[in-house]
Amino acid sequence: MTVHRSGRDLDRPCDEVDRLVTAWRQERPDLDIEPLQVLSRVSRLARHLDRARRAAFAEHGLENWEFDVLTALRRAGEPYELSPGALLRATLVTSGTMTNRIDRLAAAGLVRRRPDPEDRRGVLVSLTDAGRARVDDAFADLLRRERDLLAGLEKHEQQALADLLRTLLVPFDATDTGAH
């Protein structure tokens, strides 16, 4: 199959999406397949990012969900603690799921529970020193891997891409009830 490109595209390497788009243009010339140019690339990049995330977390003995809970606590700042309800909102899971996750992280020595001094019925979940060290190391490793994924772009191109993706995501984020 010949990939047809023109003008400024001629000096760019051809990727799998170019081949996919060319095939669809040939098979379905009646359809506007332009969304594939962007969204198929976003989807493929998401798969590479998922692999990088899983590798970074596995190297530090963490699952994705563990990293999500630990980073929510870490982002909270000193003393790195949140209520289970705040963790629910930050990670978009059910209360039963969060209880199970907190139990498992506590058993692993990565978080601890303590009574909430503001609410006698409530508890606070906080990072242990071991939890903070583990999440800090995993996060640093993840950022290194993410920089590797973006290595083909100059800093200004990364910023331009971030700005464009933000524009696409804002309407979706406005309807989400989760944390940032």
Short mmCIF file of all heavy atoms in Angstrom, two decimals, residues 2 7 23 27 30 36 38 51 62 68 78 81 89 94 98-99 101 103 106 126 128-129 131 155 168 180:
data_model
loop_
_atom_site.label_atom_id
_atom_site.label_comp_id
_atom_site.label_asym_id
_atom_site.label_seq_id
_atom_site.Cartn_x
_atom_site.Cartn_y
_atom_site.Cartn_z
N THR A 2 0.56 2.17 -0.85
CA THR A 2 1.30 3.42 -0.92
C THR A 2 0.63 4.45 -0.04
O THR A 2 -0.58 4.68 -0.15
CB THR A 2 1.36 3.94 -2.36
OG1 THR A 2 1.94 2.93 -3.18
CG2 THR A 2 2.16 5.22 -2.45
N GLY A 7 3.24 17.99 0.65
CA GLY A 7 3.81 19.18 1.28
C GLY A 7 4.68 18.90 2.48
O GLY A 7 5.64 18.15 2.41
N ALA A 23 -5.40 3.34 4.05
CA ALA A 23 -6.27 2.20 3.74
C ALA A 23 -7.74 2.59 3.83
O ALA A 23 -8.55 2.23 2.96
CB ALA A 23 -5.97 1.04 4.69
N GLU A 27 -10.59 2.55 0.96
CA GLU A 27 -11.77 1.69 1.11
C GLU A 27 -13.07 2.45 1.33
O GLU A 27 -14.13 1.99 0.94
CB GLU A 27 -11.56 0.71 2.27
CG GLU A 27 -10.45 -0.30 2.03
CD GLU A 27 -10.74 -1.16 0.81
OE1 GLU A 27 -11.89 -1.63 0.64
OE2 GLU A 27 -9.81 -1.36 0.00
N ASP A 30 -15.90 7.91 0.98
CA ASP A 30 -17.10 8.68 1.31
C ASP A 30 -17.09 9.20 2.75
O ASP A 30 -17.91 10.04 3.11
CB ASP A 30 -18.35 7.82 1.11
CG ASP A 30 -18.32 6.53 1.94
OD1 ASP A 30 -17.28 5.83 1.88
OD2 ASP A 30 -19.31 6.24 2.62
N LEU A 36 -9.12 10.06 12.81
CA LEU A 36 -8.12 9.00 13.01
C LEU A 36 -6.71 9.56 13.10
O LEU A 36 -5.86 9.01 13.80
CB LEU A 36 -8.18 7.97 11.88
CG LEU A 36 -9.43 7.11 11.77
CD1 LEU A 36 -9.34 6.22 10.55
CD2 LEU A 36 -9.65 6.31 13.03
N VAL A 38 -5.57 12.07 14.60
CA VAL A 38 -5.24 12.47 15.97
C VAL A 38 -5.54 11.34 16.95
O VAL A 38 -4.67 10.91 17.72
CB VAL A 38 -6.03 13.73 16.38
CG1 VAL A 38 -5.81 14.05 17.86
CG2 VAL A 38 -5.65 14.91 15.50
N ARG A 51 2.18 0.89 29.25
CA ARG A 51 3.30 -0.05 29.44
C ARG A 51 4.40 0.57 30.29
O ARG A 51 4.97 -0.08 31.17
CB ARG A 51 3.88 -0.45 28.08
CG ARG A 51 3.03 -1.40 27.32
CD ARG A 51 3.74 -1.86 26.03
NE ARG A 51 2.79 -2.44 25.14
CZ ARG A 51 2.57 -2.06 23.89
NH1 ARG A 51 3.28 -1.07 23.37
NH2 ARG A 51 1.67 -2.65 23.15
N LEU A 62 4.76 -1.95 43.03
CA LEU A 62 3.44 -1.33 43.14
C LEU A 62 2.55 -1.72 41.97
O LEU A 62 3.02 -1.89 40.85
CB LEU A 62 3.55 0.19 43.17
CG LEU A 62 4.26 0.82 44.36
CD1 LEU A 62 4.46 2.32 44.13
CD2 LEU A 62 3.48 0.57 45.64
N ASP A 68 -1.88 5.08 42.56
CA ASP A 68 -2.92 6.12 42.58
C ASP A 68 -3.24 6.58 43.99
O ASP A 68 -3.33 7.78 44.25
CB ASP A 68 -4.19 5.63 41.89
CG ASP A 68 -4.06 5.51 40.39
OD1 ASP A 68 -3.08 6.04 39.82
OD2 ASP A 68 -4.93 4.87 39.78
N GLU A 78 2.29 17.79 53.49
CA GLU A 78 2.42 17.43 54.91
C GLU A 78 1.08 17.59 55.62
O GLU A 78 0.41 18.59 55.38
CB GLU A 78 3.46 18.34 55.60
CG GLU A 78 4.88 18.06 55.20
CD GLU A 78 5.52 16.95 56.03
OE1 GLU A 78 4.87 16.39 56.92
OE2 GLU A 78 6.67 16.63 55.74
N GLU A 81 -1.86 13.11 54.48
CA GLU A 81 -3.02 12.32 54.91
C GLU A 81 -4.31 12.92 54.36
O GLU A 81 -4.41 14.11 54.11
CB GLU A 81 -3.08 12.19 56.42
CG GLU A 81 -3.33 13.44 57.18
CD GLU A 81 -3.29 13.24 58.70
OE1 GLU A 81 -2.90 12.15 59.18
OE2 GLU A 81 -3.64 14.19 59.40
N ARG A 89 -12.71 10.44 46.13
CA ARG A 89 -12.87 11.47 45.10
C ARG A 89 -11.61 11.59 44.24
O ARG A 89 -11.70 11.84 43.04
CB ARG A 89 -13.23 12.81 45.74
CG ARG A 89 -14.64 12.81 46.32
CD ARG A 89 -15.05 14.16 46.87
NE ARG A 89 -14.29 14.58 48.03
CZ ARG A 89 -14.50 14.17 49.28
NH1 ARG A 89 -15.46 13.28 49.53
NH2 ARG A 89 -13.77 14.63 50.28
N THR A 94 -15.28 3.17 44.35
CA THR A 94 -16.35 3.07 45.33
C THR A 94 -15.78 2.99 46.75
O THR A 94 -14.60 2.68 46.93
CB THR A 94 -17.22 1.83 45.08
OG1 THR A 94 -16.41 0.66 45.32
CG2 THR A 94 -17.78 1.81 43.66
N MET A 98 -12.28 1.33 48.05
CA MET A 98 -11.27 2.12 48.76
C MET A 98 -10.94 1.48 50.10
O MET A 98 -9.77 1.43 50.49
CB MET A 98 -11.75 3.56 48.95
CG MET A 98 -10.70 4.45 49.63
SD MET A 98 -9.05 4.41 48.85
CE MET A 98 -9.41 5.18 47.29
N THR A 99 -11.95 0.99 50.83
CA THR A 99 -11.69 0.32 52.10
C THR A 99 -10.73 -0.84 51.91
O THR A 99 -9.76 -1.00 52.66
CB THR A 99 -13.01 -0.15 52.75
OG1 THR A 99 -13.82 1.00 53.01
CG2 THR A 99 -12.76 -0.91 54.04
N ARG A 101 -8.60 -1.25 49.48
CA ARG A 101 -7.28 -0.75 49.09
C ARG A 101 -6.51 -0.22 50.30
O ARG A 101 -5.32 -0.47 50.44
CB ARG A 101 -7.42 0.32 48.00
CG ARG A 101 -7.85 -0.29 46.69
CD ARG A 101 -8.04 0.71 45.59
NE ARG A 101 -8.38 -0.01 44.37
CZ ARG A 101 -8.49 0.53 43.18
NH1 ARG A 101 -8.31 1.84 43.03
NH2 ARG A 101 -8.79 -0.20 42.14
N ASP A 103 -6.93 -1.13 53.39
CA ASP A 103 -6.56 -2.31 54.19
C ASP A 103 -5.30 -2.96 53.64
O ASP A 103 -4.38 -3.31 54.40
CB ASP A 103 -7.69 -3.35 54.18
CG ASP A 103 -8.91 -2.95 54.98
OD1 ASP A 103 -8.82 -1.99 55.78
OD2 ASP A 103 -9.97 -3.60 54.79
N ALA A 106 -2.25 -0.71 54.16
CA ALA A 106 -1.88 -0.71 55.59
C ALA A 106 -1.16 -2.01 55.95
O ALA A 106 -0.14 -1.99 56.67
CB ALA A 106 -3.12 -0.51 56.46
N SER A 126 -2.81 8.08 56.28
CA SER A 126 -1.57 8.82 56.00
C SER A 126 -0.50 7.88 55.48
O SER A 126 -0.50 6.68 55.75
CB SER A 126 -1.09 9.55 57.25
OG SER A 126 -0.87 8.64 58.30
N THR A 128 3.06 6.23 55.40
CA THR A 128 4.16 5.91 56.31
C THR A 128 5.45 6.38 55.64
O THR A 128 5.45 6.74 54.45
CB THR A 128 4.25 4.40 56.56
OG1 THR A 128 4.52 3.75 55.30
CG2 THR A 128 2.97 3.84 57.17
N ASP A 129 6.54 6.38 56.38
CA ASP A 129 7.82 6.73 55.76
C ASP A 129 8.14 5.79 54.61
O ASP A 129 8.63 6.21 53.56
CB ASP A 129 8.94 6.70 56.81
CG ASP A 129 8.84 7.83 57.82
OD1 ASP A 129 8.13 8.83 57.53
OD2 ASP A 129 9.45 7.71 58.90
N GLY A 131 5.95 4.19 52.76
CA GLY A 131 5.04 4.52 51.66
C GLY A 131 5.50 5.74 50.90
O GLY A 131 5.47 5.77 49.66
N LYS A 155 11.00 20.99 23.62
CA LYS A 155 10.22 21.50 24.76
C LYS A 155 9.02 22.32 24.29
O LYS A 155 7.92 22.17 24.81
CB LYS A 155 11.08 22.34 25.71
CG LYS A 155 12.11 21.55 26.46
CD LYS A 155 11.45 20.64 27.46
CE LYS A 155 12.52 19.91 28.26
NZ LYS A 155 11.98 18.75 28.95
N LEU A 168 -8.83 19.92 24.37
CA LEU A 168 -9.73 18.79 24.11
C LEU A 168 -10.32 18.21 25.40
O LEU A 168 -11.47 17.78 25.41
CB LEU A 168 -8.98 17.67 23.38
CG LEU A 168 -8.73 17.85 21.90
CD1 LEU A 168 -7.89 16.70 21.37
CD2 LEU A 168 -10.04 17.97 21.14
N HIS A 180 -8.46 16.53 40.58
CA HIS A 180 -7.53 16.87 39.51
C HIS A 180 -6.29 16.02 39.60
O HIS A 180 -5.75 15.76 40.58
CB HIS A 180 -7.12 18.34 39.59
CG HIS A 180 -8.30 19.24 39.72
ND1 HIS A 180 -9.11 19.53 38.66
CD2 HIS A 180 -8.83 19.88 40.78
CE1 HIS A 180 -10.08 20.33 39.07
NE2 HIS A 180 -9.92 20.56 40.35
#
